Amino acid sequence: MTEQCSPAPKSLTLQATIPEGVASEMDPVEFTLRKRLPRKLPKRRNDVYVNMKTDFRAQLARCQKLLDSGGQREICVHGLGLAINRAINIALQLQACSQGALQLAANTSTVELVDDLEPEDDEAGLGGAEPVTRTRNNSAIHIKVFYPDPQ
């Protein structure tokens, strides 16, 4: 007899690092986490910022269209955090579809992100407390997809 094993439900708990002065005033559970958008890099016509919300095939088609239009001999595919794998997959798909005509050059970096911890309004009257900001680091990749110069 075989038993089917169902995974136990997992709960996510957010614990924030609160500065000492604020920690004595408020409980960390009373904060709402607001993630700010990452700092925008200058956007050129050949930059493609990959995310996890847009369909993979649509992002791949956009990159292919930029390369096939004839105006661009190279594009730069950018991925941040969870989208790093998707950016790599897009670059590899482009290279495979070109039958080796395209080359790749990848650079990695670390991007500093800022989060706001905003106190929740409650009946105790602690709504007057100021928001706390914290910084965290996230990985990023920048892949240059290009046609090599004929020699």
Side-chain angles (χ1 to χ4, degrees):
M1 180 176 188
T2 60
E3 287 184 33
Q4 291 186 350
C5 181
S6 62
K10 295 180 181 177
S11 62
L12 297 174
T13 306
L14 172 68
Q15 292 188 353
T17 307
I18 312 289
E20 292 180 21
V22 177
S24 63
E25 298 173 16
M26 301 187 80
D27 189 349
V29 178
E30 297 175 357
F31 283 93
T32 302
L33 177 66
R34 304 265 186 234
K35 294 182 177 181
R36 292 186 195 173
L37 291 174
R39 181 181 61 85
K40 282 288 187 188
L41 295 173
K43 183 154 172 61
R44 301 169 296 194
R45 290 179 190 234
N46 61 343
D47 282 335
V48 177
Y49 291 92
V50 175
N51 62 39
M52 295 301 291
K53 293 182 180 180
T54 307
D55 183 50
F56 177 82
R57 287 175 287 166
Q59 293 178 16
L60 181 62
R62 180 169 180 252
C63 292
Q64 191 67 52
K65 183 180 174 185
L66 282 171
L67 287 169
D68 291 343
S69 67
Q72 305 294 331
R73 290 202 42 85
E74 72 178 40
I75 63 170
C76 193
V77 180
H78 304 278
L80 178 68
L82 188 61
I84 288 175
N85 285 340
R86 183 169 281 194
I88 293 169
N89 284 335
I90 286 174
L92 290 173
Q93 285 290 322
L94 290 169
Q95 187 180 37
C97 290
S98 73
Q99 291 139 3
L102 287 171
Q103 291 188 356
L104 308 177
N107 291 319
T108 59
S109 66
T110 302
V111 177
E112 190 172 89
L113 302 174
V114 179
D115 297 335
D116 293 320
L117 293 168
E118 298 177 350
E120 293 182 0
D121 293 333
D122 60 342
E123 297 141 12
L126 295 175
E130 293 191 20
V132 178
T133 60
R134 72 171 184 192
T135 59
R136 59 188 170 92
N137 292 324
N138 209 343
S139 301
I141 192 163
H142 316 280
I143 306 170
K144 180 179 166 185
V145 182
F146 62 98
Y147 289 105
D149 293 329
Q151 296 180 2

